[in-house]
């Protein structure tokens, strides 16, 4: 196993950082690595906003569910799906809006943008971790997304998808065991054996329960399926469809 | 600049491979690296299908727009968004469908699944490239997605998002210059200076035109904005919204 793979397998989310800011060279290395990721038909459908203004960082931390590590870190990135750039490209080419709007409005184009943005972000993460930095994705940035758009002054067709805190780790962070390999990786077709599939999840429940029990002197024993069911029973961010429509992405 | 970042910056899509198959150990390293990526609230909302059956690979190549490197490679992965596993988790916990359906049907949950899947895929890519292998993402897998679902026997709420060809590179591959750094990376807020934004794209057009001119003795001189406008004028995969609805993901 080579060093890069060791780094990947060693990933854990870091939620406590020293105050030391990233250097411009580090930021440049991280963003350039993000840009080097593959992109669908060369569209490069994302913009990365680096937030340095401490007031803005505090506001974003508040809006993300009071997560301190959104304001206290070495640097805070926001990864935005960006179809605005493509619209501007078509203006440069003198295309009329009605010639391009169907593509910009489609569910397929939205998927391309989300995938492009996430591929770039994960390259940024690998680059940051290879420098000895820690990271944490901030999905909570979508909790009050409209206000986040206002703070970052994103135009229509630009959607902040998630934040990324990066910095020098202050605390150790624990790694949680992933799903069983065979539950995630199937060969030639989706595993049709539902009993086997369920047994894998029950085996996984035991591993995850032990993980929590070990770390809380037995107070917490959450099963994975229990955690997932709680999530599913509490729908979140149900405004998303309407917000996307308002921002010019009706997902037709 | 460390070795990992050098690898990231050196990425290019490889579309021609030797016939040597990946070893089980390589596949395991790639999938385990994918699984090590961050995941929103620990949902791990993806399944990876490795396709070895040559007949299936040929069919997938045909459906993806006759891309030979879908059948001829060292291994072919299909990365699927998977909300079926979460539904099964809730069955294990005896939740009634009506308690969980709103979450499973939401645009937000779909976004979580797409992002989770793409983060995992990009880790797989980094792992594969660190082994000296080449890769190519296959978005064309969505061209005739319903038939791809049939071949892979994916249940409801599982959507193949893209393929990934991996293998030993047979040919050299070229790297295309990305958008200007300042066009993609903004500080504190989205760049409001539209003239500057447009000028960056025009400068980029010149770089891309030269790239093509150099490689075709001047026959091709495509501008980036021209390529993007062509894409936008030709809407693709407009069935996506309806297909997702049929597969249990109405994006509400």
């Amino acid at each position: 196993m080579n060093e890069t793979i060791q780094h990947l397998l060693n990933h854990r989310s870091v939620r406590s950082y020293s105050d030391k800011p990233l250097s411009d060279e580090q930021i440049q290395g991280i963003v350039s690595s993000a840009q080097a990721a593959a992109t669908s038909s060369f569209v490069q459908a994302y913009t990365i906003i680096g937030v340095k203004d401490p007031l803005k960082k505090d506001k974003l931390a508040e809006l993300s569910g009071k997560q301190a590590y959104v304001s206290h870190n070495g640097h805070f990135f926001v990864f935005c799906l960006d179809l605005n750039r493509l619209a501007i490209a078509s203006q440069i080419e003198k295309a009329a809006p009605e010639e391009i709007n169907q593509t910009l409005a489609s569910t397929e184009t939205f998927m391309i943008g989300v995938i492009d943005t996430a591929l770039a972000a994960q390259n940024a993460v690998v680059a940051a971790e290879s420098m000895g930095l820690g990271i944490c994705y901030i999905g909570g940035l979508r909790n009050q997304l409209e206000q986040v758009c206002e703070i970052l002054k994103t135009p229509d067709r630009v959607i902040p998808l998630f934040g990324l805190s990066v910095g020098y780790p202050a605390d150790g962070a624990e790694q949680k065991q992933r799903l069983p390999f065979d539950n995630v990786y199937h060969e030639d077709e989706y595993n049709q054996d539902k009993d086997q599939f369920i047994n894998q999840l029950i085996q996984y429940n035991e591993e995850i329960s032990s993980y929590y029990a070990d770390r809380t002197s037995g107070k917490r024993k959450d099963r994975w399926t229990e955690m997932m069911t709680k999530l599913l029973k509490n729908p979140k961010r149900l405004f998303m469809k309407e917000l996307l429509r308002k921002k010019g992405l009706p997902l037709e």
Side-chain angles (χ1 to χ4, degrees), chain A:
Chain A
M1 197 186 302
N2 67 48
E3 200 179 320
T4 299
I5 293 182
Q6 278 171 15
H7 275 302
L8 296 176
L9 296 180
N10 198 37
H11 164 75
R12 51 208 72 203
S13 292
V14 172
R15 295 187 170 83
S16 178
Y17 308 95
S18 82
D19 284 334
K20 185 177 174 189
L22 266 60
S23 68
D24 287 345
E25 195 190 348
Q26 284 173 314
I27 293 171
Q28 182 121 21
I30 290 169
V31 173
S32 299
S33 297
Q35 286 196 261
T39 162
S40 174
S41 302
F42 209 25
V43 294
Q44 307 171 75
Y46 52 82
T47 284
I48 304 165
I49 301 180
V51 187
K52 283 186 169 167
D53 178 343
L55 283 177
K56 285 199 183 204
K57 287 175 82 167
D58 286 350
K59 274 192 214 164
L60 293 176
E62 181 74 26
L63 293 171
S64 302
K66 302 190 179 171
Q67 301 189 53
Y69 41 97
V70 173
S71 30
H72 299 288
N73 48 49
H75 198 64
F76 189 68
F77 296 95
V78 179
F79 282 81
C80 306
L81 172 156
D82 191 342
L83 303 183
N84 174 57
R85 185 183 293 108
L86 297 183
I88 291 180
S90 74
Q91 288 165 14
I92 293 174
E93 298 291 330
K94 318 264 186 251
E98 60 271 21
E99 294 179 278
I100 59 156
N101 280 349
Q102 195 176 25
T103 299
L104 289 172
S106 77
T107 300
E108 162 67 14
T109 304
F110 178 73
M111 286 167 67
I112 286 176
V114 175
I115 294 168
D116 250 35
T117 308
L119 300 185
Q122 189 56 20
N123 255 18
V125 163
V126 173
E129 290 184 338
S130 79
M131 297 173 184
L133 300 165
I135 69 99
C136 188
Y137 279 102
I138 312 291
L141 200 78
R142 296 195 301 278
N143 287 348
Q144 298 184 68
L145 189 51
E146 184 124 37
Q147 285 159 273
V148 170
C149 290
E150 279 167 29
I151 290 171
L152 301 177
K153 298 192 178 159
T154 49
D156 277 357
R157 296 189 178 123
V158 175
I159 309 291
L161 292 183
F162 45 79
L164 185 71
S165 296
V166 181
Y168 293 89
D171 275 338
E174 301 248 355
Q175 192 175 34
K176 270 185 286 189
Q177 176 70 29
R178 297 307 199 235
L179 283 160
F181 184 90
D182 291 340
N183 190 261
V184 166
Y185 182 70
H186 308 185
E187 263 186 8
D188 283 327
E189 58 191 42
Y190 199 92
N191 180 5
Q192 306 291 312
D193 184 340
K194 198 171 166 186
D195 289 341
Q196 186 190 58
F197 197 94
I198 288 176
N199 285 336
Q200 289 164 345
L201 295 185
I202 288 172
Q203 172 211 321
Y204 185 51
N205 274 347
E206 288 171 15
E207 290 172 28
I208 296 297
S209 279
S210 304
Y211 170 91
Y212 285 116
D214 285 352
R215 276 150 194 83
T216 60
S217 313
K219 277 184 209 148
R220 249 186 99 174
K221 290 184 192 164
D222 312 44
R223 300 179 297 281
W224 183 77
T225 57
E226 179 188 7
M227 295 162 66
M228 294 303 109
T229 304
K230 268 188 207 157
L231 275 179
L232 292 177
K233 285 184 178 175
N234 291 288
K236 279 204 295 191
R237 306 171 193 147
L238 292 177
F239 57 77
M240 195 58 73
K241 180 184 187 176
E242 175 56 18
L243 177 80
L244 293 173
R245 194 197 57 74
K246 265 180 68 179
K247 298 288 179 190
L249 303 178
L251 309 198
E252 280 160 5

